[in-house]
Amino acid sequence: MSDERKRDKLKQITSSWASRTLASGRVALRLSSAAGRRVVRAAGEASDAHLGTSIADDLDAMKGLAMKAGQMASYLEGSMPPEAQRMLRRLQQGGEPLELATLRPVVEDSLGATLEALFEDFDPEPLASASIAQVHRATFEGRDVVVKIQYPHIAETFEVDLGHLRRIGALAWFGSAMQAGELVGELRDRLAEECDFEVEANNQRRFQALWAGAPWVQIPEVIEARSSSVVLTSTFAEGQSFYPFIEAADAGARNLAGERLFSFAFGSIFGHGCLHGDPHPGNYLFPEHGEQVVFLDFGCVRWFDAEFVQTWKRLARVVLEGRRADLADVMVDTGMVPDPDRYDFDYHWQVMRYLYEPFLTPRFRYTHDYVKRSWSLLAWDNPNLRRTRMPRPWVLTSRLQWGLNSVLALLGAEADFGTLFREALQTPLVIMPR
């Protein structure tokens, strides 16, 4: 697709709800078809690959929330046939970038100077093109940097997609009967923050401060002098991307990388009340065989209050200590059980034991089969599906049980995750002022 056609496509879907709805509907049908083929294997791998390529092309052109959905589908185990899923992987780094001429005005208008005056050198070929922005390598004051530039009008495409989501009530991604208004409200808040790079820059600085004492965590430094609400410049970080890393690394390096990703996720939640809400493979780099991890993209971050985190810790201890009799009380306190009399707590105990299996097993290995089981246990066969409410702070936590678990399964990570989880759980909660 030529850059002119892509610009026209982006403009069209931004300005017209009808065209966006038709495009979304077409992609939704294809995603549904792909999801159905994970059960009904009438089609072969070649057909699956063709379907995955077709979906990726559409989502890549549409950008925005549609592309985010494709990124999630590209690594969530069991969501679609493996060959179709493999074709979607390119969405993690982007496939069809816009030419620099399209994005130059975004940089120059927001930073008040020409691109040549702002940077000593600027590579017109992007490193990555994602759902809301494109990343280019550049030089600033002699330092290698990366410049994240927001697509023009992308915030408007989110509004169109969210309106469509409310109309169709597409809640399957989160596996709950949560009201569309609550879901869309939470997504709107998070997406609005993602479209404000000043918010992302603040998130990035805060995570860098929180993890400053961990030598295995690398978070690029924000270059404030070359950042704005639509441009985010950070120091360049070296490292292998996810799929080359897992192909080249031995089991020990992959296991160590899995430990690092796990500890970062739960250490952030239980120690600091924050969730890095986009754990997809494109947001990690591995500079030293898994001994260090570079964490990227802090646009989708959820900050929790102390009461929420303490309730989560209580729930975790109930499951870890096998206190089945206390499950109902703590689940009611989470806000997820509006009517305890109609809730099947025996079934939910099975769910919780499944979710905590990696922490209850002396040395657990994340596998594709483990992650795939979640689809039936939490969604298709769950008698509580329509009896569960999902308060807004809990919405993004589903990215752990599907997103992070899928990444760990791709690594084939094996470790004493129970000890790591308990260490995070015992960490005193210290919430940094925003």
Side-chain angles (χ1 to χ4, degrees), residues 31-40 73 76-81 169-177 347 351 354 368-388 401-402:
L31 283 170
S32 297
S33 174
R37 289 186 190 183
R38 70 184 180 87
V39 178
V40 182
L76 294 185
E77 287 296 327
S79 61
M80 60 196 319
L171 309 181
W173 284 103
F174 297 90
S176 81
Y347 185 87
V351 170
Y354 156 77
H368 301 309
D369 286 341
Y370 170 76
V371 179
K372 288 176 182 177
R373 271 194 286 148
S374 63
W375 292 96
S376 59
L377 194 63
L378 293 164
W380 320 131
D381 300 329
N382 188 355
N384 293 318
L385 186 62
R386 300 302 174 194
R387 304 168 189 167
T388 301
Q401 65 198 34
W402 277 307

Side-chain angles (χ1 to χ4, degrees), residues 20 62-69 131-132 154 157-158 161:
R20 184 77 177 181
M62 293 172 73
K63 309 297 186 188
L65 190 58
M67 188 171 177
K68 280 187 173 295
S131 57
I132 69 170
I154 197 66
T157 73
F158 279 136
D161 288 336

Side-chain angles (χ1 to χ4, degrees), residues 312 315-316 319-320 352-360 421:
W312 193 341
L315 175 60
V319 182
L320 290 174
M352 296 307 297
R353 297 287 290 185
Y354 156 77
L355 293 176
Y356 280 65
E357 186 178 325
F359 322 142
L360 295 168
F421 186 80

Side-chain angles (χ1 to χ4, degrees), residues 155-201:
E156 289 94 324
T157 73
F158 279 136
E159 281 301 316
V160 172
D161 288 336
L162 287 169
H164 183 52
L165 181 60
R166 178 186 285 110
R167 286 170 174 82
I168 64 175
L171 309 181
W173 284 103
F174 297 90
S176 81
M178 179 181 172
Q179 291 184 352
E182 287 188 81
L183 172 61
V184 172
E186 178 66 14
L187 290 178
R188 175 173 282 113
D189 288 350
R190 301 286 76 77
L191 293 172
E193 290 182 349
E194 281 199 70
C195 289
D196 186 342
F197 288 176
E198 291 177 346
V199 172
E200 180 174 352

Side-chain angles (χ1 to χ4, degrees), residues 245-246 248-260 286 288-293 411 413:
F245 170 76
I246 62 175
D250 60 22
R254 294 195 305 274
N255 291 342
L256 184 57
E259 291 183 29
R260 302 307 197 202
F286 302 91
E288 295 184 17
H289 307 293
E291 294 182 13
Q292 292 184 317
V293 180
L411 285 167

Side-chain angles (χ1 to χ4, degrees), residues 5-77:
R5 286 183 63 197
K6 282 182 284 184
R7 287 198 301 269
D8 290 344
K9 178 79 169 178
L10 190 60
K11 182 177 179 181
Q12 176 191 31
I13 62 181
T14 298
S15 61
S16 169
W17 181 87
S19 63
R20 184 77 177 181
T21 299
L22 289 171
S24 300
R26 182 178 68 252
V27 174
L29 286 172
R30 290 179 178 177
L31 283 170
S32 297
S33 174
R37 289 186 190 183
R38 70 184 180 87
V39 178
V40 182
R41 301 300 302 142
E45 289 188 359
S47 179
D48 291 341
H50 176 75
L51 178 64
T53 299
S54 178
I55 293 172
D57 288 343
D58 275 344
L59 296 178
D60 192 16
M62 293 172 73
K63 309 297 186 188
L65 190 58
M67 188 171 177
K68 280 187 173 295
Q71 288 175 339
M72 290 176 64
S74 72
Y75 68 94
L76 294 185
E77 287 296 327

